[in-house]
Amino acid sequence: MRDVQRHRFLDRSTPPHLVTLIMLAAIPALSMTLFLPSLPNMTEYFATDYRVMQLSVAIYLLVNAVLQVIVGPISDYWGRRIVVLWAIVLFLIASLGCMLSPNVEVFLFFRMCQAVIVAGMVLSRSIVRDMYQMNRAASVIGYVTMGMAVAPMLGPMIGGALDDAFGWKASFSLFLVIGAFLFAVCYFDLGETYPGKARSFRDQVREYPELFSSRRFWGFCLITTFCSGAFFAYLGGAPFVGTNHYGMSASLLGFYFGTVAFGYMAGNFLSGQFSQSVGTRKMVVVGAVVTALGPLGAIAAIHGGVTHPLGFFGFIMLLGVGNGLVIPNATAGMLSVRPHLAGTASGIGGAITIGLGSGLSALAGASLTEGSGPYPLVYIMLASVLAGLVCTIYVMRVEYRSAKKNQRSG
């Protein structure tokens, strides 16, 4: 591992530029949200049910979860550059397949294949760790993460506008353009950063029991999983709520849909400012409470007869703030349980989070009907964040007992 200072853009003999790493991390997030305002129109185009069309979110998240576990070990063996370039090529093929799909079954297959772009998000962090010592790497990853937050915010707005102007296929045309541009940038800017071969995947699996026996690991992992699970349910159900309950156009839905990302960015900023001085555990507690205020406020507004979309989307922005407080701090806690297994913890934790998220996304889509209103969605979100609060209390008790035990033994 080396601490490198010089970066020449589009020169792969030097380490990749920060812009390249941000793009690698941001495009997987963009591919998750760009087309969401088009789901109702796509449902009509393919002559299917919304719950079937919404599987384009759920199966994407499920394949995303599986790939997070295996992409790292593959890149440890073959190298970062070749895995990234092949992932982009497969993403381009899948995007074209989505555009040209004759029916919903073919579309869902190619949409599942699009999840291969998650390699960009996973390996952007690995590349940073290859290039820098730990403290500097944490700082650079912070910049990359902030860049990731912009993509899901802008994605629905851009996708909604494209749908209104050109139809749902325009979003997948944009994926082709962006993917081709990313391939060119990575081809010329991304040199190989991994210095050698690491442990095999089999060796890593042998160490899983040590991690799985830790109550603190499971506690922090489930805090992240349940708090972010409410957001994934939102991804699966909010397009239906916006279109059918509030009568919003695709472009207006895209604007309101993206407001949760503003909250997430604000939460990330507050984490960066105060986590070191306040402490990760206190930040997790505050974040879990703020996350719960989102669906609670939305439920109160809906039951109170508020008919403006801000009665739903405005309160859900608080969920974004809470996630921005919880996720960085709970992830740091999860990775610190067994420092020598931090990479394994990251992959397993990410897979569990995305796996449950895909299930909640599918559940939200399946629960919403023409006469249900937004109630199934907000109650699913509330149940998820309350589970996160329970896990937070559990972890705090484990931490407290551990501290008391250390005091007695000392």
Side-chain angles (χ1 to χ4, degrees), residues 101-182:
S101 296
N103 53 57
V104 69
E105 290 81 10
V106 174
F107 173 83
L108 290 175
F109 170 77
F110 281 111
R111 174 61 182 162
M112 176 181 67
C113 294
Q114 270 195 312
V116 72
I117 197 62
V118 74
M121 182 178 68
V122 174
L123 296 185
S124 62
R125 298 167 184 172
S126 300
I127 289 167
V128 172
R129 289 196 297 268
D130 294 341
M131 292 160 47
Y132 297 109
Q133 298 296 329
M134 184 176 65
N135 290 338
R136 175 62 176 151
S139 175
V140 176
I141 289 174
Y143 287 116
V144 172
T145 302
M146 288 297 291
M148 286 173 57
V150 176
M153 175 180 66
L154 296 180
M157 301 178 187
I158 296 171
L162 287 173
D163 185 273
D164 279 349
F166 306 106
W168 68 267
K169 292 186 178 183
S171 293
F172 293 90
S173 298
L174 184 59
F175 283 142
L176 287 172
V177 173
I178 293 174
F181 180 73
L182 179 63

Side-chain angles (χ1 to χ4, degrees), residues 51 62 75 83 106 143 171 215 236 271 306 317 324 377 408:
R51 66 188 63 189
L62 182 61
S75 72
V83 174
V106 174
Y143 287 116
S171 293
R215 291 185 297 167
S271 291
V306 177
M317 189 163 63
L377 174 60
R408 293 193 193 101

Side-chain angles (χ1 to χ4, degrees), residues 35 39 42-43 46-59 103-109 111 236 240 361-362 364-368:
F35 78 107
L39 281 180
M42 294 169 69
T43 301
F46 286 115
T48 187
D49 295 329
Y50 179 81
R51 66 188 63 189
V52 175
M53 203 68 248
Q54 192 273 338
L55 289 174
S56 60
V57 178
I59 62 173
N103 53 57
V104 69
E105 290 81 10
V106 174
F107 173 83
L108 290 175
F109 170 77
R111 174 61 182 162
F240 184 91
S361 177
S367 301
L368 292 165

Side-chain angles (χ1 to χ4, degrees), residues 57-408:
V57 178
I59 62 173
Y60 179 91
L61 293 175
L62 182 61
V63 177
N64 185 299
V66 174
L67 289 176
Q68 285 202 46
V69 177
I70 65 176
V71 162
I74 290 174
S75 72
D76 284 343
Y77 187 83
W78 293 104
R80 318 295 192 209
R81 173 180 164 83
I82 189 65
V83 174
V84 166
L85 291 178
W86 270 108
I88 299 171
V89 169
L90 294 175
F91 174 75
L92 287 170
I93 295 172
S95 299
L96 182 62
C98 288
M99 273 186 61
L100 302 179
S101 296
N103 53 57
V104 69
E105 290 81 10
V106 174
F107 173 83
L108 290 175
F109 170 77
F110 281 111
R111 174 61 182 162
M112 176 181 67
C113 294
Q114 270 195 312
V116 72
I117 197 62
V118 74
M121 182 178 68
V122 174
L123 296 185
S124 62
R125 298 167 184 172
S126 300
I127 289 167
V128 172
R129 289 196 297 268
D130 294 341
M131 292 160 47
Y132 297 109
Q133 298 296 329
M134 184 176 65
N135 290 338
R136 175 62 176 151
S139 175
V140 176
I141 289 174
Y143 287 116
V144 172
T145 302
M146 288 297 291
M148 286 173 57
V150 176
M153 175 180 66
L154 296 180
M157 301 178 187
I158 296 171
L162 287 173
D163 185 273
D164 279 349
F166 306 106
W168 68 267
K169 292 186 178 183
S171 293
F172 293 90
S173 298
L174 184 59
F175 283 142
L176 287 172
V177 173
I178 293 174
F181 180 73
L182 179 63
F183 181 87
V185 170
C186 289
Y187 184 84
F188 290 106
D189 188 62
L190 180 61
E192 184 56 62
T193 60
Y194 190 64
K197 293 183 179 179
R199 297 168 300 161
S200 68
F201 185 59
R202 179 181 300 175
D203 291 336
Q204 296 178 50
V205 170
R206 287 172 181 167
E207 294 180 330
Y208 285 4
E210 180 182 352
L211 191 66
F212 290 163
S213 65
S214 170
R215 291 185 297 167
R216 290 175 62 239
F217 166 76
W218 284 111
F220 281 120
C221 177
L222 292 176
I223 291 170
T224 303
T225 298
F226 285 119
C227 287
S228 60
F231 171 73
F232 288 115
Y234 170 82
L235 290 182
F240 184 91
V241 170
T243 302
N244 290 272
H245 183 71
Y246 293 107
M248 302 166 72
S249 66
S251 56
L252 186 61
L253 173 60
F255 173 78
Y256 277 102
F257 191 91
T259 56
V260 70
F262 282 103
Y264 184 68
M265 289 183 66
N268 270 314
F269 176 78
L270 292 173
S271 291
Q273 291 290 305
F274 298 110
S275 291
Q276 186 171 353
S277 59
V278 174
T280 57
R281 293 169 183 83
K282 291 181 180 178
M283 293 292 285
V284 167
V285 173
V286 173
V289 172
V290 174
T291 300
L293 292 178
L296 280 172
I299 289 170
I302 294 167
H303 278 291
V306 177
T307 58
H308 194 278
L310 283 176
F312 174 75
F313 291 99
F315 280 107
I316 298 304
M317 189 163 63
L318 287 175
L319 184 143
V321 175
N323 270 239
L325 295 172
V326 167
I327 293 174
N329 291 283
T331 300
M334 181 174 63
L335 300 185
S336 68
V337 170
R338 297 287 188 272
H340 64 290
L341 297 176
T344 300
S346 178
I348 297 298
I352 292 172
T353 298
I354 299 298
L356 180 67
S358 67
L360 289 175
S361 177
L363 178 62
S367 301
L368 292 165
T369 63
E370 291 293 337
S372 69
Y375 294 107
L377 174 60
V378 291
Y379 282 116
I380 289 170
M381 295 169 67
L382 179 61
S384 187
V385 297
L386 289 180
L389 271 173
V390 171
C391 293
T392 301
I393 295 170
Y394 171 77
V395 169
M396 294 307 111
R397 290 188 63 185
V398 170
E399 297 270 281
Y400 176 77
R401 290 177 178 177
S402 177
K404 293 290 285 186
K405 183 177 179 180
N406 290 337
Q407 287 178 0
R408 293 193 193 101

